[in-house]
Amino acid sequence: MTISIRPETPADVVAVREVNRRAFGRDGEARLVDALRDEGYVRVSLVAEVDGQVVGHVLFSELPIVIADGEVPALSLAPLAVLPEFQRRGIGGELVRHGLEICRERGHRIVIVLGWPHYYSRLGFSAALARPIESPYAGDAWMALELTPGSLRGITGRVEYPPPFSECG
């Protein structure tokens, strides 16, 4: 199986919607992706293809950290979706790694995720790094990754999710 990862194009919108619907078994994440895209919050959106079929998708969008004297720019990794019949083949990990590299190349310094600790810790995310950042979520599923080492050093604040996160959940 050869996996090809590339930026999402307008021609992929329907396929991305279907990947998210099938991966999560509901429409919430598909609506979230559409709303983040439509409202201009998306910074990186990638698809994975196998034999010309879109089988996976990852999205990185704005997620500022509000601190005492302003904001620290950060990104949210959400959602990550792979069609059920293609899961457990490394496609999700490839999407995340490729996406993180693009984010780094574009000058982004911090990525935050809410997800399975066992999975995301293998990709470099840390619950300890995210602890000083308040969010509507807590626990080990709330994780952060520094694309530039030291980016979170001394940062204490709270994330401000864009409106689509509460509207589409």
Side-chain angles (χ1 to χ4, degrees):
M1 176 177 74
T2 302
I3 303 164
S4 171
I5 296 177
R6 62 171 176 77
E8 175 190 348
T9 69
D12 298 319
V13 169
V14 172
V16 165
R17 195 175 296 134
E18 184 65 14
V19 166
N20 279 280
R21 279 188 189 134
R22 290 192 47 214
F24 290 99
R26 60 185 184 189
D27 289 334
E29 286 77 7
R31 286 194 318 268
L32 173 63
V33 169
D34 287 343
L36 288 168
R37 187 190 305 110
D38 293 347
E39 295 179 32
Y41 294 106
V42 173
R43 293 298 159 260
V44 175
S45 183
L46 302 175
V47 296
E49 286 184 324
V50 173
D51 296 328
Q53 177 189 2
V54 174
V55 300
H57 174 251
V58 68
L59 188 77
F60 296 84
S61 60
E62 291 180 12
L63 184 65
I65 303 169
V66 178
I67 59 174
D69 59 350
E71 291 183 350
V72 174
L75 298 177
S76 168
L77 186 173
L80 169 63
V82 176
L83 289 174
E85 62 269 28
F86 287 91
Q87 292 176 2
R88 301 189 186 280
R89 297 184 187 187
I91 295 170
E94 285 300 313
L95 278 164
V96 171
R97 282 187 285 278
H98 197 85
L100 291 172
E101 187 55 37
I102 291 172
C103 291
R104 185 179 291 111
E105 289 169 1
R106 293 183 180 174
H108 299 287
R109 299 166 40 99
I110 301 165
V111 178
I112 296 175
V113 70
L114 179 69
W116 295 327
H118 178 71
Y119 182 81
Y120 286 100
S121 64
R122 293 188 322 224
L123 296 166
F125 287 86
S126 163
L129 276 176
R131 279 193 195 103
I133 305 166
E134 295 177 36
S135 91
Y137 313 102
D140 289 341
W142 176 244
M143 295 172 279
L145 179 130
E146 296 174 320
L147 295 174
T148 302
S151 296
L152 283 166
R153 189 174 301 122
I155 301 293
T156 302
R158 65 176 167 73
V159 293
E160 192 167 282
Y161 277 93
F165 278 93
S166 58
E167 296 165 1
C168 297

